[in-house]
């Protein structure tokens, strides 16, 4: 079983749709959960950063962590063509240094007008 | 605040040659990380430098090496290039090495080996 699983997509949605991006993980030591957004020909940029369980909201973006199911989600409300990018989930244990950050392979999202 | 900068943007080499990639971290960041992003494989951790020392390396052969300079900038060297080394090489920096210090990435160097 892979440590992190992420559907590669592509996920194609119309403008204004609600998008749900998901990752599953197997390592129960993970305590920090992140979402990065990567535009074509650019480096990943940190979008959301959560510790432990629960929800975190930032504008149109909501990150959700369900540690009992080992499942994290990123919801995008009122999606825009500018949201078209690859979204990477990332995980880190509580006492781990940042070099131990584990990334998913990314989901490619396309939002069409 | 200037972000992480990498040079060159693109690099084309032939098999067997050496490649040198450069990275300048965000001002004040002392840790630099190198990742390889090959098509379909996601981000693979290569090397971590902190305060001028190599702190950890990923599962890559010794022909991948680097260093960190006193100003915290870093260089990645790839010797004896192979075709499968073609990838996007990303540099990231963090403020400190703790687990609550997120990574900030540059836009990468696209290395093509022919």
């Amino acid at each position: 079983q892979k440590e992190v699983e992420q559907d590669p997509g592509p996920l194609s949605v119309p403008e204004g749709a609600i998008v749900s991006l998901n990752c599953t993980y197997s390592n129960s030591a993970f305590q920090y959960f992140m979402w990065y957004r990567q535009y074509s020909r650019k480096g990943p940029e940190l979008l959301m950063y959560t510790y432990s369980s629960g929800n975190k909201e930032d504008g149109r973006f909501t990150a959700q962590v369900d540690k009992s199911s080992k499942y994290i989600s990123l919801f995008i409300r009122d999606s825009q063509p500018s949201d078209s990018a690859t979204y990477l989930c990332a995980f880190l244990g509580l006492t781990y240094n940042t070099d131990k950050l584990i990334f998913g392979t990314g989901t490619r999202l396309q939002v069409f007008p | 605040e200037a972000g992480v900068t990498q040079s060159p943007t693109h690099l084309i080499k032939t098999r067997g040659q050496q490649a040198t990639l450069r990275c300048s971290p965000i001002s004040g960041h002392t840790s630099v990380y190198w990742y390889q992003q090959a098509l379909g494989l996601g981000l693979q951790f290569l090397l971590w430098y902190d305060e001028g020392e190599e702190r950890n390396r990923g599962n890559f052969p010794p022909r991948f090496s680097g260093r960190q300079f006193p100003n915290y900038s870093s260089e990645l060297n790839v010797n004896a290039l192979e075709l499968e080394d073609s990838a996007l090489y990303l540099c990231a920096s963090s403020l400190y090495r703790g687990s609550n210090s997120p990574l900030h990435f540059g836009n990468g160097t696209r290395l093509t080996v022919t």
Side-chain angles (χ1 to χ4, degrees), chain A residues 13-19 60 76-81 83 109 111:
Chain A
V13 301
E15 183 176 354
I18 296 174
V19 175
R60 296 185 295 110
I76 307 174
R77 290 185 301 281
D78 187 25
S79 57
Q80 303 294 310
D83 295 327
L109 172 67
V111 182

Side-chain angles (χ1 to χ4, degrees), chain A residues 32 36 38 42-44 46 49 88 92-94 96-101 103, chain B residues 33 35 37 43 45 48 56 88 90 97-103 105-107:
Chain A
Y32 292 97
Y36 282 81
Q38 186 174 19
K42 298 286 187 183
L46 183 65
Y49 183 92
L88 301 151
L92 191 62
L94 182 64
Y96 295 179
N97 288 320
T98 311
D99 61 309
K100 297 293 192 290
L101 194 60
F103 287 89
Chain B
Y33 307 78
Y35 286 84
Q37 189 176 34
L43 282 159
F45 168 70
W48 169 33
N56 197 15
L88 181 67
L90 291 160
R97 67 174 77 173
S99 58
N100 57 353
S101 183
L103 291 179
F105 285 89
N107 287 326

Side-chain angles (χ1 to χ4, degrees), chain B residues 30-46:
Chain B
T30 61
S31 272
V32 170
Y33 307 78
W34 287 95
Y35 286 84
Q36 182 194 68
Q37 189 176 34
L39 203 60
L41 289 180
L43 282 159
Q44 306 293 316
F45 168 70
L46 261 167

Side-chain angles (χ1 to χ4, degrees), chain B residues 7 10 12 48 65 69 79 81-82 93:
Chain B
S7 63
H10 294 87
I12 300 174
W48 169 33
S65 65
F69 300 99
N79 294 320
L81 284 165
E82 299 179 3
S93 70

Side-chain angles (χ1 to χ4, degrees), chain A residues 19-79:
Chain A
V19 175
S20 172
L21 304 165
N22 311 295
C23 286
T24 59
Y25 64 96
S26 59
N27 189 342
S28 54
F30 290 153
Q31 294 286 340
Y32 292 97
F33 307 92
M34 286 148 269
W35 286 95
Y36 282 81
R37 177 176 62 194
Q38 186 174 19
Y39 289 115
S40 180
R41 298 185 185 88
K42 298 286 187 183
E45 61 177 311
L46 183 65
L47 200 56
M48 299 288 279
Y49 183 92
T50 55
Y51 169 70
S52 196
S53 286
N55 291 1
K56 183 176 182 179
E57 192 173 316
D58 184 2
R60 296 185 295 110
F61 298 89
T62 300
Q64 190 174 75
V65 175
D66 182 347
K67 290 178 69 179
S68 62
S69 302
K70 295 191 176 65
Y71 190 88
I72 69 170
S73 299
L74 178 70
F75 297 97
I76 307 174
R77 290 185 301 281
D78 187 25
S79 57

